Amino acid sequence: MSIVGVGVDIINVQKIDGAVKRHGVKFTKKILTSEEISQLGQRGNKIQFIASRFSAKEAIYKATTNLAKLKWKDISILNKMDGSPYIKI
């Protein structure tokens, strides 16, 4: 798969907080892969983590428009040991 565009997504963290409060674990399990959920357990600000993953995945959707029928769990935003992020599709 090649990227043919640039995707940018800015998210209101309060909206993600509201979604988590309304839908609980169901929302988190819909958005995050099992690998991301594992990393979530190691984070202090869980809502910020979920919001950043949501936003990054939205940007990937925008950058790959119509190239692939990606679902939330087709994309993982993970971190290397040094903290730098990488994408796993």
Side-chain angles (χ1 to χ4, degrees):
M1 173 185 341
S2 62
I3 296 177
V4 296
V6 176
V8 175
D9 199 72
I10 298 171
I11 188 106
N12 182 333
V13 176
Q14 291 175 332
K15 286 187 178 184
I16 296 298
D17 186 37
V20 170
K21 286 178 179 170
R22 279 190 308 282
H23 305 288
V25 175
K26 186 176 179 179
F27 176 80
T28 302
K29 286 185 175 183
K30 180 179 178 180
I31 302 301
L32 302 180
T33 64
S34 59
E35 293 168 299
E36 292 168 319
I37 290 172
S38 176
Q39 287 189 348
L40 174 65
Q42 303 166 11
R43 301 299 172 130
N45 191 334
K46 295 183 183 343
I47 299 302
Q48 183 81 30
F49 180 87
I50 295 167
S52 68
R53 282 358 189 218
F54 185 96
S55 183
K57 290 179 184 195
E58 283 283 318
I60 292 166
Y61 293 135
K62 290 175 184 177
T64 59
T65 302
N66 296 326
L67 292 179
K69 302 298 180 198
L70 296 173
K71 298 176 185 150
W72 289 110
K73 292 200 172 191
D74 292 337
I75 303 168
S76 289
I77 311 296
L78 303 169
N79 294 93
K80 297 178 184 176
M81 294 300 288
D82 66 3
S84 61
Y86 68 96
I87 300 166
K88 181 178 167 185
I89 297 178

